[in-house]
Amino acid sequence: MAGLYKAILFLNYALLLSVIVLGAAKYRILNHKEKQYFHCIAFLFFIELLNLALPYIFRLNDTSFLYPLYIAGEFFLLTGLFIRKLDWPRYVLWIAGVLAAGFMISKYGFDYPANADIAKVVSNIMIICLSGFTLIREIKNTSAQNRFLLVDASIFFYYSVSVFIFIIQHQIANLSENDYYTILSANNILSSILYCSFLYTFFRLKK
């Protein structure tokens, strides 16, 4: 299972790099709200790049300090994306920013909560709710052009299933090595589906 996990992981890296390159090429034809999709994927690419670079280039093997930054950044960018798409008041976006900044200050300054996974689950549930609400509105509003409908659906699917996997993983006290790699591989397959939806959407974009 370790071999399969590594194969899927490197496939994810290749897909993520392809999304960044294609998204950058199409960036000029994105409208203001659509550019947020590229910002989200660029942030994820930045985090993955740091996770790879720090151990191999700077000999820094423990990169767990990036986890709170990843949680806060992912939460702010994705909630900001859907808040804009829903045309909610600007103060709602400020609230999301305050929550993200508050979590980082609390975690880095006071190490609270001690288990950052709690914040990850809460963040994912909020993203699921916002993406689901956005999807419902987009499906009802058939007259509007929703060029990123597939991506929105993939985000909803990814976070819905991954938070379930995440909770199940933490409920199982003793995971065998094979079970551990199976869970990680399943999550990486979900990531691959999400990246493919970005690739397909960016590839089809026209002025």
Side-chain angles (χ1 to χ4, degrees):
M1 286 305 300
L4 177 62
Y5 163 73
K6 290 180 181 178
I8 298 173
L9 180 63
F10 283 109
L11 172 63
N12 269 355
Y13 289 151
L15 287 172
L16 183 55
L17 180 60
S18 300
V19 171
I20 287 295
V21 172
L22 187 56
K26 299 279 189 170
Y27 188 79
R28 289 185 299 175
I29 66 174
L30 300 176
N31 63 39
H32 175 67
K33 293 178 182 178
E34 291 172 343
K35 286 179 180 179
Q36 190 72 10
Y37 287 99
F38 181 77
H39 298 159
C40 292
I41 207 72
F43 172 77
L44 181 57
F45 178 77
F46 172 72
I47 293 295
E48 292 290 357
L49 188 62
L50 283 179
N51 271 319
L52 284 174
L54 291 177
Y56 293 103
I57 298 177
F58 299 101
R59 305 299 179 185
L60 186 60
N61 293 322
D62 184 9
T63 60
S64 59
F65 68 91
L66 292 173
Y67 192 43
L69 174 63
Y70 163 69
I71 295 172
E74 175 191 54
F75 171 78
F76 177 67
L77 289 171
L78 283 174
T79 55
L81 166 67
F82 293 117
I83 287 169
R84 289 185 177 95
K85 292 196 74 171
L86 291 166
D87 295 316
W88 284 358
R90 193 169 183 82
Y91 70 81
V92 182
L93 182 60
W94 281 99
I95 292 173
V98 169
L99 288 174
F103 166 69
M104 289 184 64
I105 293 170
S106 174
K107 185 60 183 175
Y108 286 122
F110 307 99
D111 193 27
Y112 181 83
N115 186 359
D117 290 341
I118 296 172
K120 174 66 174 171
V121 172
V122 173
S123 169
N124 281 14
I125 291 173
M126 294 179 71
I127 292 169
I128 291 167
C129 293
L130 283 172
S131 60
F133 191 72
T134 302
L135 270 175
I136 291 171
R137 200 184 75 163
E138 288 177 340
I139 292 170
K140 285 183 177 179
N141 190 12
T142 55
S143 60
Q145 185 183 24
N146 298 313
R147 303 198 295 181
F148 280 80
L149 180 62
L150 177 61
V151 173
D152 290 343
S154 297
I155 290 173
F156 177 77
F157 174 73
Y158 170 78
Y159 283 94
S160 297
V161 179
S162 65
V163 76
F164 174 75
I165 292 174
F166 194 79
I167 292 171
I168 292 297
Q169 175 185 341
H170 282 73
Q171 289 298 313
I172 301 175
N174 298 309
L175 282 174
S176 67
E177 183 178 346
N178 277 341
D179 289 339
Y180 177 73
Y181 281 117
T182 298
I183 290 174
L184 289 181
S185 297
N187 194 66
N188 283 338
I189 290 172
L190 292 174
S191 298
S192 297
I193 294 171
L194 179 60
Y195 298 155
C196 285
S197 73
F198 271 96
L199 274 176
Y200 179 78
T201 300
F202 281 140
F203 182 76
R204 286 175 56 89
L205 283 182
K206 296 179 182 179
K207 291 184 180 180

